[in-house]
Amino acid sequence: MKEPRSLLDVAPVMPIISVHSASEVSAAASVARAISDAGLPLVQVALDGPLALEAIARIVAEAPEVIVGAGAITHIEQPELARAAGAEFLVATESPAALRSAMCATELPHLPGAKTADEAAELVANGYTDMVLHPAAAAGGVRHIRTLAAFVPTARFCVSGGVTAADLTGYLAAPNVGCVSADWLAPAEAVRRRDWERIRRLADVAVKLSKPTVTAVRAL
């Protein structure tokens, strides 16, 4: 299997799921599998609650075909905890030096976060070319991402935060965008009802709205 150059090259859409109850933990693998069945090979579990690490471990055990990562990382202890749970990649929303060091220490593929041109330039100066723009909508949307292309031309972005399905095409048309995060693929009601087909259909729509090809590779 050919390895992609980076996380930004796995698929044009990076799904995000959140878990906040034991019921959602038990459904995590089925949610991930439904998204994968639509052609999106990776899922990011947001570390926004105490059950997120358990959900990662559940996906690793029950849906090994899915590339699972940990997202919304904000604290220096989270990268190692995510690695221990089985996460295969890490995504942060900020990029302080201590957090970058903690992610590097895991030796997992990871994306630090940036919002301004200065923050992106600092990451480039520290050896990063790929990063997360968060929160994208609040920062200025497509206009801002195009401004970043002018000021930090070597930076590539995963766009995250306030992004809707209607925004996919516009963001992905920007030359410095590798992928867009999607947090609308697993609505709480669909998870509660165990409506995996609805989740699969939403993921399929995301695939159709994104770039024509999705590179379904297993290895990072």
Side-chain angles (χ1 to χ4, degrees):
M1 282 177 283
K2 183 180 179 181
E3 294 188 4
R5 290 188 297 112
S6 79
L7 287 169
L8 303 190
D9 298 319
V10 177
V13 176
M14 183 183 289
I16 303 175
I17 62 174
S18 294
V19 293
H20 299 289
S21 69
S23 176
E24 289 175 338
V25 170
S26 67
S30 295
V31 170
R33 192 177 296 112
I35 291 171
S36 178
D37 286 346
L40 296 175
L42 78 174
V43 170
Q44 178 190 149
V45 178
L47 300 190
D48 56 1
L51 298 176
L53 294 172
E54 186 179 346
I56 290 173
R58 183 70 68 95
I59 294 170
V60 170
E62 299 179 11
E65 71 277 13
V66 179
I67 303 169
V68 60
I73 291 176
T74 56
H75 303 294
I76 60 173
E77 71 275 8
Q78 289 178 323
E80 177 54 32
L81 291 172
R83 187 203 64 77
E88 298 179 72
F89 65 92
L90 308 170
V91 179
T93 55
E94 300 176 350
S95 58
L99 187 58
R100 295 199 306 267
S101 295
M103 291 193 292
C104 286
T106 67
E107 299 186 345
L108 293 176
H110 62 275
L111 298 172
K115 181 169 67 175
T116 66
D118 286 344
E119 290 172 351
E122 180 184 353
L123 289 176
V124 169
N126 280 276
Y128 289 93
T129 56
D130 297 351
M131 58 197 75
V132 174
L133 172 63
H134 182 89
V142 173
R143 177 177 294 182
H144 183 58
I145 199 74
R146 293 187 181 278
T147 298
L148 291 174
F151 284 95
V152 196
T154 58
R156 299 174 69 223
F157 295 92
C158 170
V159 177
S160 174
V163 182
T164 69
D167 299 321
L168 283 178
T169 302
Y171 278 119
L172 290 170
N176 56 338
V177 173
C179 67
V180 175
S181 291
D183 60 4
W184 64 87
L185 303 184
E189 181 185 357
V191 176
R192 180 174 59 83
R193 293 177 178 273
R194 300 309 199 244
D195 191 349
W196 315 134
E197 178 58 22
R198 181 184 175 192
I199 293 171
R200 189 202 64 77
R201 289 198 306 269
L202 288 170
D204 184 62
V205 169
V207 170
K208 288 180 168 60
L209 289 172
S210 63
K211 293 180 180 179
T213 57
V214 174
T215 307
V217 293
R218 183 66 187 86
L220 287 173

